[in-house]
Amino acid sequence: MDYQVLLGVALSSVGGFSTSIGALFVILSKAPSLKVLGLLQGFAAGLMLSISFFDLTHNALNSLGFLRGNLWFFAGVIFFAVVAKFIPEPTPAPPISNDKSTKKSGNEGNKGIMKRRRRQVLLSGVITAIGISLHNFPEGMAVYLGSMKGVRVGLNLALAIALHNIPEGVAVALPVYFATESKWEAFKLASLSGFAEPLGVIIVACLFPTSLNPEILEGILGSVGGVMAFLTLHEMIPLAFEYAGQKQSVKAVFCGMAFMSASLYFLRMSLPEDM
């Protein structure tokens, strides 16, 4: 690798490793209750929806036009809908009963319920990690392209990305920590989701040095936006409703959307005008 690629990898790693910082906030605190978990799932869903609609899909519509941008978006929706149909999905666990007549058999039943809930939450955490990894991939490419214009531009962009990657690390680590009760597993998965940024640099620099078609890239990212929107509405928001209630979860979703929208705004402000 030449100097430019190494610089891009180094700068993108700054943003990628910040997901580990978000994971540290989770593993250094006590395990959350189901209600807190539901609220944070709602917040994470808001992050995902903002990334999907206000970033990836928005860019695809601007670059490709309304019709083609929507075709790419719904191609992602349909693709993941088909995939989800063949993926075994944990069934929602019924609420734990407090009836005295069921206390004798309740302990064993409650253990089974919690086991199903943990499995369900773990699936949500893995899905979040995949979605955030797909989002981080083009961020790594953006850092690389910015660093080609100068170290200052690349560094400013990497720092801006790092700030808005911290809550993404929380969104990944929290459900994994709750489901596995393993601090290492939560930290590992959150950190791996951040490695997509330097990976994006390496792939663009090595596999597509000059022939990467910008329109195809925008279309693929628009499809990624469709995938993220589907998995958020299909998996994350129902889970938040179940654990934290509909009203509180909706508030958490909009808080997550507002936070990520503000983060994306400041990120765009740090980009050079011709990127």
Side-chain angles (χ1 to χ4, degrees):
M1 292 185 185
D2 60 16
Y3 167 77
Q4 194 64 56
V5 177
L6 290 174
L7 177 63
V9 170
L11 291 177
S12 62
S13 296
V14 173
F17 284 133
S18 64
T19 58
S20 302
I21 298 175
L24 287 175
F25 284 121
V26 173
I27 65 179
L28 294 179
S29 60
K30 294 181 179 179
S33 65
L34 283 176
K35 183 176 181 180
V36 171
L37 181 70
L39 290 174
L40 290 171
Q41 282 287 295
F43 185 83
L47 298 180
M48 298 277 279
L49 288 176
S50 281
I51 292 170
S52 173
F53 291 118
F54 302 151
D55 186 18
L56 301 180
T57 307
H58 175 264
N59 290 340
L61 293 174
N62 283 343
S63 300
L64 306 177
F66 184 82
L67 179 59
R68 286 200 297 162
N70 272 291
L71 287 175
W72 278 100
F73 173 82
F74 283 105
V77 172
I78 295 170
F79 168 77
F80 201 78
V82 172
V83 171
K85 183 176 179 62
F86 296 99
I87 295 178
E89 182 182 345
T91 54
I96 298 175
S97 174
N98 292 323
D99 194 338
K100 293 182 180 180
S101 63
T102 63
K103 278 188 176 180
K104 187 174 181 179
S105 60
N107 289 336
E108 293 183 2
N110 289 348
K111 288 181 181 179
I113 290 171
M114 287 305 298
K115 185 177 180 180
R116 289 195 297 273
R117 280 181 168 170
R118 290 184 189 280
R119 191 162 57 244
Q120 186 181 16
V121 170
L122 179 60
L123 176 64
S124 174
V126 171
I127 287 173
T128 303
I130 293 172
I132 287 175
S133 296
L134 293 173
H135 171 64
N136 286 345
F137 181 81
E139 288 181 352
M141 293 188 290
V143 171
Y144 174 61
L145 295 174
S147 67
M148 293 179 67
K149 298 177 180 294
V151 176
R152 183 185 61 82
V153 174
L155 182 59
N156 288 341
L157 183 55
L159 292 176
I161 289 173
L163 288 177
H164 96 264
N165 277 1
I166 292 175
E168 293 178 355
V170 173
V172 174
L174 183 67
V176 176
Y177 181 35
F178 178 87
T180 65
E181 297 182 332
S182 169
K183 294 181 178 181
W184 168 243
E185 290 296 328
F187 181 81
K188 180 174 68 175
L189 190 59
S191 299
L192 286 175
S193 69
F195 286 148
E197 290 198 15
L199 181 63
V201 174
I202 295 171
I203 291 178
V204 170
C206 297
L207 299 183
F208 307 104
T210 57
S211 60
L212 184 61
N213 188 322
E215 288 194 356
I216 293 178
L217 176 61
E218 289 294 348
I220 293 173
L221 295 179
S223 293
V224 170
V227 169
M228 293 176 67
F230 181 88
L231 67 87
T232 300
L233 297 172
H234 186 260
E235 300 287 348
M236 298 178 68
I237 290 181
L239 192 65
F241 282 4
E242 180 185 353
Y243 290 163
Q246 183 173 344
K247 291 184 178 180
Q248 295 299 319
S249 296
V250 168
K251 294 177 183 178
V253 169
F254 280 109
C255 285
M257 293 183 73
F259 185 92
M260 183 53 69
S261 296
S263 177
L264 290 171
Y265 170 76
F266 288 112
L267 177 59
R268 288 177 183 275
M269 292 291 291
S270 68
L271 282 167
E273 292 182 1
D274 54 343
M275 283 190 66

